[in-house]
Amino acid sequence: MREEDIPKVVEMLMAGGKMLAVHCGSCMSPLFEYQGKVVCPVCGGQAKKSKPEAKPSSLDKIRETLQAKIDTLAEQLAKETDHAKTLELLDRIKSALEVLERLKER
């Protein structure tokens, strides 16, 4: 936020605006809740909230890893000509898909 924008923010606080933990997507000024609306004191009027980036959870990371492994196994399966290795790859894919399905239930 630019220094010349600080008086606008202070004015919003003095008027009874509630500073929110999100920032304007345009000017990165803190957004305020004022008279039932979310407004940006710098840009004026209603502003769109920029959502803070959520960190992926451990389960999300596991899902991504499993999906990547399934993709790799599928590529190997497409190239495999040996029957025994094909069955082994199918079994691994099946196991990974079962775990993925169980994670969806959480």
Side-chain angles (χ1 to χ4, degrees):
M1 184 170 68
R2 301 177 310 187
E3 193 168 325
E4 59 265 19
D5 296 332
I6 293 174
K8 295 175 184 175
V9 172
V10 171
E11 185 179 332
M12 180 63 72
L13 281 169
M14 298 293 281
K18 176 183 171 186
M19 187 183 294
L20 303 175
V22 291
H23 294 82
C24 175
S26 302
C27 69
M28 297 309 295
S29 168
L31 293 177
F32 285 76
E33 185 177 335
Y34 182 69
Q35 297 179 340
K37 298 177 183 175
V38 176
V39 296
C40 175
V42 176
C43 295
Q46 285 192 290
K48 292 181 180 176
K49 288 191 237 182
S50 64
K51 296 180 183 175
E53 288 187 31
K55 293 182 180 177
S57 70
S58 296
L59 289 178
D60 290 336
K61 290 178 184 177
I62 293 170
R63 285 183 190 100
E64 289 175 19
T65 302
L66 278 170
Q67 190 58 56
K69 293 292 183 184
I70 291 169
D71 293 343
T72 302
L73 289 168
E75 289 174 14
Q76 292 175 4
L77 181 63
K79 297 173 187 175
E80 189 56 62
T81 56
D82 182 81
H83 182 70
K85 289 182 181 178
T86 298
L87 291 175
E88 184 181 325
L89 287 168
L90 287 170
D91 189 49
R92 289 181 184 177
I93 291 171
K94 178 184 172 191
S95 296
L97 288 171
E98 287 172 354
V99 172
L100 224 101
E101 192 61 35
R102 286 183 188 158
L103 288 175
K104 286 181 184 177
E105 296 170 4
R106 292 180 157 232

